Amino acid sequence: MFEVVSGALTKINKKSPHAADQKMVLTTHRVAPTTSKNCSRVYLRDLSSIGICTAVATRLQDPSKMAADQAAFMAQLGTAGAKTTLRSYLWSLEAAAYDANH
């Protein structure tokens, strides 16, 4: 059999009328310097997470929003439940916007 599987096992067919019901199965594998040297993870992504991911990537590349996003990120660092990376902070903003619109 297989020792290691890594990458997209199934993908979402965006042209399908049932795309909203499909899940993407993504696996990762890495060798880590811990007590267990084999680290494998499985992730399930739906169509909404792909849309949020695209929105975050676009926002990270937008120079008109970059300074404001970085300032807002730095301001929230001292609060309870703060996001520790800029990407996770923007992900939470875009996820909230996606939920509000859908």
Side-chain angles (χ1 to χ4, degrees):
M1 296 308 297
F2 301 100
E3 279 189 41
V4 175
V5 177
S6 184
L9 299 180
T10 63
K11 294 185 178 181
I12 296 174
N13 181 0
K14 294 179 188 175
K15 295 179 182 178
S16 169
H18 304 287
D21 299 329
Q22 297 176 6
K23 299 273 188 213
M24 176 181 182
V25 179
L26 179 70
T27 62
T28 61
H29 174 79
R30 69 182 181 93
V31 176
T34 61
T35 57
S36 172
K37 295 189 180 202
N38 295 322
C39 296
S40 296
R41 295 182 179 160
V42 177
Y43 301 96
L44 296 176
R45 298 179 83 182
D46 58 8
L47 197 58
S48 66
S49 66
I50 293 172
I52 295 169
C53 184
T54 303
V56 169
T58 303
R59 190 166 176 163
L60 282 169
Q61 299 299 320
D62 188 357
S64 66
K65 294 183 179 180
M66 194 174 297
D69 285 342
Q70 288 174 346
F73 167 70
M74 294 302 287
Q76 63 90 40
L77 276 177
T79 64
K83 300 297 180 184
T84 57
T85 65
L86 179 62
R87 185 174 298 275
S88 66
Y89 173 71
L90 293 178
W91 186 278
S92 67
L93 294 180
E94 292 296 334
Y98 182 88
D99 290 342
N101 292 331
H102 292 93

